[in-house]
Amino acid sequence: MRSEAAPQPGDLERFVSAGKGRGLRARRRYAVGELLFSCPAYASVLTVSERGSHCDGCFARKEDLSKCGRCKQAFYCNVECQKEDWPMHKLECSAMCTFGQSWNPSETVRLTARILAKQKTNPERTQSEKLLAVKEFESHLDKLDNEKRELIENDIAALHHFYSKHLEYPDSDALVVLFAQVNCNGFTIEDEELSHLGSAIFPDVALMNHSCCPNVIVTYKGTLAEVRAVKEIEPGEEVFTSYIDLLYPTEDRNDRLRDSYFFNCDCRECVTKDKDKEKLEIRELNVPPSAQAVWDMIKYARNVIEEFRRAKHYKYILCLTLTPLACELLEICELSLDKMGALFEDSNVYMLHMMYQAMGVCLYVQDWEGALRYGQKIIRPYSKHYPSYSLNVASMWLKLGRLYMTLENRMAGVKALKKVLISCFFIAHGKDHPYISEIKKELEDH
């Protein structure tokens, strides 16, 4: 298969976007599915839970990875990957041996340590910084509340604790700025089912501003970020990506944007709020609920989502081997769905959120039938609420396809997997992406 043409220098330009600061603008027309640019990670770190199944250097998913001979905890495709990653891995290798089970810096701390090391060994501008340098990142330091500042101070303490051997630290004020920059400009790398693989810094990708109706999508090929058009883009048009999950109604999206990125969105979707009524659909009842009753249920839904997030973090993530805790999480989901379902339609986004969480727990405990039931309820409303070529929709079709195959419903499985390719992946990932090859192989094998 012939590879797509490489983007040309000058096809995109940095400019001052009215009311948004720096931005990225097209200088020529881009068709849907066309690659605007790619950006290698300035620094990246594989999440601890994926060690052994993905290469610590390039994030490739492979069997029979080679283990680091010192710490025995990092895994690589081959000697070349290991040598290339050594300047970064050596920050952690001896520390992991020294601390043993007590070695537990957060992913943000690990990523920041790598940025500091990279800035020391590569002071010149890198291939990841053609349009925006890491040192130009916004920190929004003046907007941090006491809680966010305290979290940064805790991260700085962990950085000193775990990385004292191989790092030279700037002063405390500079570290506060750097952590604030990482928090605002870091990226989460996910696999084809949107499972978390790691964190990275992609400076040129960070130049793009946010819109809730974006015209590009960011996907990953290992530790390479690729930006493709999901709408036609005309010369002079600004390039917009989405910083957040677009499932939720306008108020929720802007709450998230204010909390994480310190701005409100003024895109067409946020101004018109056209999709909010569908996203918050109420059941047709003999006695219509009052506005206050609806608002109370929305507040309940938001609280239970936060409660579940915390329970998942402290119980499920930290105690993965304890199946009873997974069952407890499933009970939270089911109870909240029963309560919300008295007022909300199944297509209501708060119902969908808890169904998605319940599906995740079912997958964890290998209840394939339960996971499939939730997925079947989710997929149609997802297709309605999300924009075209959404990875959230595609990943749900992919999960359904694999569940159908596991449960030996080949016809439904083939249909779902083909839908993944045609409806999204060819556009979002390009036709030569490894994920596409893997899905095609799954289709051939079945």
Side-chain angles (χ1 to χ4, degrees):
M1 181 182 295
R2 188 173 64 183
S3 298
E4 60 193 328
Q8 298 301 307
D11 287 348
L12 299 160
E13 64 179 354
R14 172 174 164 170
F15 79 117
V16 177
S17 178
K20 294 179 169 61
R22 296 182 295 247
L24 186 66
R25 180 166 60 191
R27 298 187 66 184
R28 68 167 178 87
R29 183 182 177 278
Y30 287 91
V32 172
E34 189 171 354
L35 179 68
L36 277 74
F37 70 100
S38 57
C39 179
Y42 178 88
S44 60
V45 60
L46 184 74
T47 195
V48 171
S49 61
E50 292 300 329
R51 283 184 158 160
S53 59
H54 289 77
C55 174
D56 273 72
C58 70
F59 283 27
R61 179 168 53 207
K62 288 182 67 176
E63 295 180 359
D64 301 321
L65 294 167
S66 300
K67 190 182 297 185
C68 171
R70 299 186 185 188
C71 67
K72 316 291 186 188
Q73 295 185 54
F75 296 80
Y76 297 97
C77 298
N78 48 45
V79 173
E80 288 73 24
C81 266
Q82 186 169 7
K83 285 181 177 177
E84 189 173 338
D85 192 51
W86 175 245
M88 296 294 107
H89 177 57
K90 74 178 182 182
L91 298 171
E92 300 179 345
C93 189
S94 59
M96 288 193 292
C97 296
T98 301
F99 285 97
Q101 294 295 320
S102 299
W103 187 85
N104 60 353
S106 70
E107 213 160 286
T108 301
V109 170
R110 296 175 63 209
L111 183 61
T112 305
R114 291 178 177 227
I115 294 170
L116 286 169
K118 184 76 172 272
Q119 289 175 337
K120 179 70 175 176
T121 57
N122 296 273
E124 302 301 318
R125 206 160 177 135
T126 67
Q127 284 295 105
S128 308
E129 302 170 285
K130 294 176 180 176
L131 296 169
L132 181 69
V134 171
K135 291 183 178 179
E136 294 182 275
F137 281 174
E138 289 281 357
S139 67
H140 298 290
L141 201 61
D142 58 324
K143 299 170 186 172
L144 299 182
D145 57 25
N146 290 335
E147 182 181 357
K148 286 185 171 61
R149 286 181 176 272
E150 184 178 344
L151 290 172
I152 287 176
E153 292 296 341
N154 291 339
D155 280 340
I156 291 173
L159 184 74
H160 282 285
H161 180 64
F162 290 109
Y163 290 89
S164 57
K165 184 174 180 181
H166 292 289
L167 276 181
E168 294 180 23
Y169 302 102
D171 61 46
S172 181
D173 288 344
L175 280 177
V176 171
V177 170
L178 180 58
F179 271 102
Q181 289 173 322
V182 171
N183 288 337
C184 285
N185 296 278
F187 288 80
T188 295
I189 297 179
E190 297 168 322
D191 69 8
E192 76 276 27
E193 290 192 4
L194 300 189
S195 295
H196 181 75
L197 292 183
S199 299
I201 293 291
F202 299 102
D204 286 349
V205 182
L207 178 60
M208 294 186 292
N209 284 313
H210 165 84
S211 171
C212 297
C213 32
N215 51 16
V216 300
I217 193 167
V218 182
T219 56
Y220 304 99
K221 191 180 287 182
T223 56
L224 180 75
E226 296 185 326
V227 179
R228 285 187 169 78
V230 291
K231 296 179 181 178
E232 290 187 357
I233 301 173
E234 299 298 331
E237 191 175 342
E238 182 165 1
V239 177
F240 288 108
T241 186
S242 173
Y243 293 178
I244 57 171
D245 188 338
L246 296 177
L247 178 66
Y248 302 93
T250 305
E251 185 177 339
D252 295 49
R253 295 197 309 274
N254 277 281
D255 282 347
R256 170 72 191 280
L257 290 169
R258 281 192 301 271
D259 183 63
S260 298
Y261 304 102
F262 309 100
F263 71 87
N264 285 308
C265 182
D266 60 359
C267 73
R268 183 187 69 252
E269 188 101 349
C270 288
V271 171
T272 64
K273 302 183 180 181
D274 282 345
K275 291 187 176 182
D276 283 5
K277 186 175 180 180
E278 281 187 339
K279 290 184 175 185
L280 297 172
E281 193 169 0
I282 306 300
R283 290 191 181 279
E284 290 187 7
L285 302 171
N286 292 331
V287 180
S290 67
Q292 185 61 48
V294 172
W295 175 237
D296 287 343
M297 190 63 78
I298 289 173
K299 286 193 292 185
Y300 165 79
R302 290 173 176 170
N303 287 337
V304 81
I305 286 171
E306 180 61 20
E307 176 191 345
F308 186 89
R309 186 193 67 79
R310 289 178 178 170
K312 185 177 178 181
H313 178 73
Y314 291 114
K315 296 178 180 179
Y316 187 31
I317 297 301
L318 298 180
C319 306
L320 282 175
T321 59
L322 301 182
T323 301
L325 293 177
C327 296
E328 183 181 329
L329 291 174
L330 188 58
E331 186 177 358
I332 292 174
C333 295
E334 291 170 344
L335 289 172
S336 65
L337 285 167
D338 284 345
K339 181 168 182 176
M340 290 189 293
L343 192 59
F344 293 161
E345 283 286 0
D346 283 355
S347 60
N348 185 296
V349 295
Y350 298 122
M351 295 286 286
L352 293 173
H353 178 100
M354 296 313 297
M355 287 182 202
Y356 183 82
Q357 299 301 329
M359 183 181 183
V361 178
C362 288
L363 288 170
Y364 169 65
V365 298
Q366 299 186 4
D367 175 7
W368 310 132
E369 289 89 353
L372 182 62
R373 283 195 298 273
Y374 283 115
Q376 288 170 327
K377 288 184 177 181
I378 291 169
I379 188 61
R380 299 300 174 190
Y382 260 32
S383 301
K384 180 173 65 172
H385 295 324
Y386 277 110
S388 301
Y389 311 115
S390 165
L391 293 177
N392 300 80
V393 178
S395 70
M396 184 54 63
W397 277 118
L398 183 56
K399 289 173 182 174
L400 285 172
R402 288 172 171 170
L403 282 167
Y404 283 129
M405 293 298 194
T406 299
L407 295 169
E408 299 184 354
N409 186 344
R410 184 183 181 280
M411 185 178 295
V414 167
K415 184 178 178 180
L417 292 180
K418 285 183 176 178
K419 198 166 187 68
V420 174
L421 297 176
I422 296 167
S423 68
C424 181
F425 271 29
F426 286 147
I427 297 296
H429 292 83
K431 294 188 176 181
D432 62 347
H433 196 285
Y435 290 156
I436 289 178
S437 301
E438 290 176 11
I439 295 171
K440 286 182 175 178
K441 188 174 186 306
E442 289 178 58
L443 287 167
E444 292 169 2
D445 290 346
H446 288 85

